Amino acid sequence: MCLSEKKCFIRFLLSLIMFVAIAMIPSIPYAAENTAAKPAVKALPPDPENEFYLILKQREELRADEAGLAVLGRELDSRLKNLEQTESRIQQELKQINRVSDSRVRRLIRIYSAMDSKSAARLMEGLETGQAVDILAGMRDNISGPILASMDAKTASRLIKLLAAYKGSTGPAQ
């Protein structure tokens, strides 16, 4: 029996606590596993004001990038225009060079056409192949034929093959 009601009550509570503690011992490892398997605490949703400022910042960065691209585009257009002008100048200079070259070739055609065929053949054999083809292509057939006939057969054959594929700018001499 209990000496006093308080002591009995305290003993009862201690017995109850011990009983509950003993009853919970087998479930402690299970409780530790469950806590480890729980998902992490979700992050709070982003602050709408911060997102707004981020969007504004990104928009400003895009505007700066667009402005930079516009400057680069204008610079590129300027360089392209300069290149087109340079190309035009080069084309004009090439036309001038071709006119001078054509006039020289026409002059040589007249000179070689005035020679007898044996002399012209001997002199043409010493020319560069391209020059000889230009001159022969500009001559009338009744003049170039005897010149080719007076040349070495190997040289004449090579020149005739080149004449067959010739697409020069000089036409027959008048």
Side-chain angles (χ1 to χ4, degrees):
M1 297 232 124
C2 292
L3 297 171
S4 77
E5 284 185 26
K6 282 185 174 181
K7 285 184 179 178
C8 283
F9 182 71
I10 291 175
R11 279 188 184 172
F12 173 74
L13 281 179
L14 285 173
S15 302
L16 184 62
I17 291 173
M18 286 185 67
F19 175 76
V20 170
I22 291 172
M24 290 185 68
I25 288 177
S27 66
I28 290 175
Y30 178 73
E33 288 175 9
N34 282 345
T35 56
K38 288 183 182 178
V41 177
K42 291 184 180 178
L44 294 175
D47 185 8
E49 284 187 21
N50 286 342
E51 282 188 32
F52 178 74
Y53 290 116
L54 285 174
I55 291 170
L56 286 178
K57 182 180 177 185
Q58 289 173 347
R59 186 179 292 168
E60 289 301 316
E61 289 173 357
L62 283 174
R63 285 183 183 151
D65 289 345
E66 287 173 351
L69 286 174
V71 168
L72 289 174
R74 286 192 298 272
E75 185 178 326
L76 187 61
D77 289 341
S78 173
R79 288 184 180 183
L80 183 61
K81 186 177 179 181
N82 287 340
L83 283 174
E84 288 170 349
Q85 290 172 348
T86 302
E87 182 185 17
S88 175
R89 259 194 334 269
I90 289 171
Q91 291 294 335
Q92 290 172 353
E93 290 174 8
L94 281 174
K95 286 179 184 177
Q96 179 65 25
I97 289 169
N98 286 336
R99 275 183 269 174
V100 169
S101 178
D102 288 347
S103 68
R104 288 181 181 163
V105 170
R106 283 193 295 272
R107 185 167 182 247
L108 288 172
I109 291 169
R110 285 192 304 271
I111 292 170
Y112 280 96
S113 295
M115 293 180 180
D116 68 282
S117 60
K118 288 184 182 182
S119 298
R122 193 176 61 245
L123 291 173
M124 274 196 193
E125 286 177 343
L127 291 176
E128 291 180 16
T129 305
Q131 289 175 329
V133 171
D134 284 341
I135 293 168
L136 287 168
M139 292 180 169
R140 292 189 182 132
D141 293 342
N142 62 343
I143 297 173
S144 62
I147 293 173
L148 285 167
S150 300
M151 286 183 179
D152 173 58
K154 186 177 178 182
T155 305
S157 173
R158 187 180 77 238
L159 290 174
I160 289 171
K161 286 179 185 175
L162 292 171
L163 279 169
Y166 184 76
K167 296 179 183 171
S169 60
T170 58
Q174 298 296 326

